[in-house]
Amino acid sequence: MEKETRMPEGRICKKCLTIDMDEKEYFANLHAYIANLDVDIKVNQGVYQKRLAICKECDLLANGMCRACGCFVELRAAVKKNSCPYDKWTAQKNVTE
């Protein structure tokens, strides 16, 4: 049985490993996490879509993960301070990027 712990701002930590989760549930949780990122650290939707478009064209993309660094590209692309390990897109330094 999964134990749930209330996290700040209504988030719930289920304390699961990905191996213990249903794949659909895992990706739903990942997308919910991305959607709930603080706006101060999250890129706008236009930048996010541009980053993902670049990742979709990359030979290192496999099942949503970057084979160069092991990240889930949707999560990496959502955060302003993140960049592509191969410099295909860079960290966002200000709001106008």
Side-chain angles (χ1 to χ4, degrees):
M1 176 187 269
E2 293 180 4
K3 181 180 176 184
E4 293 188 357
T5 304
R6 275 275 162 209
M7 301 297 287
E9 300 177 28
R11 295 183 184 163
I12 296 174
C13 173
K14 293 186 178 184
K15 298 185 180 181
C16 313
L17 298 174
T18 57
I19 198 166
D20 298 330
M21 296 176 71
D22 172 71
E23 186 175 313
K24 287 182 181 178
E25 178 186 4
Y26 179 74
F27 287 111
N29 286 339
L30 177 65
H31 291 133
Y33 179 81
I34 292 167
N36 289 308
L37 286 172
D38 189 302
V39 296
D40 293 336
I41 66 166
K42 191 174 174 178
V43 296
N44 68 47
Q45 193 63 21
V47 171
Y48 182 62
Q49 291 304 320
K50 286 178 186 176
R51 288 178 173 187
L52 291 181
I54 293 167
C55 291
K56 284 181 185 180
E57 297 298 319
C58 183
D59 292 338
L60 296 172
L61 179 64
N63 298 320
M65 294 180 72
C66 174
R67 292 184 298 155
C69 69
C71 77
F72 284 104
V73 297
E74 291 168 271
L75 180 56
R76 178 182 284 274
V79 179
K80 288 179 183 179
K81 71 176 185 167
N82 291 343
S83 61
C84 169
Y86 284 94
D87 296 322
K88 293 183 178 189
W89 48 266
T90 59
Q92 188 177 40
K93 294 176 180 45
N94 60 46
V95 184
T96 59
E97 286 186 69

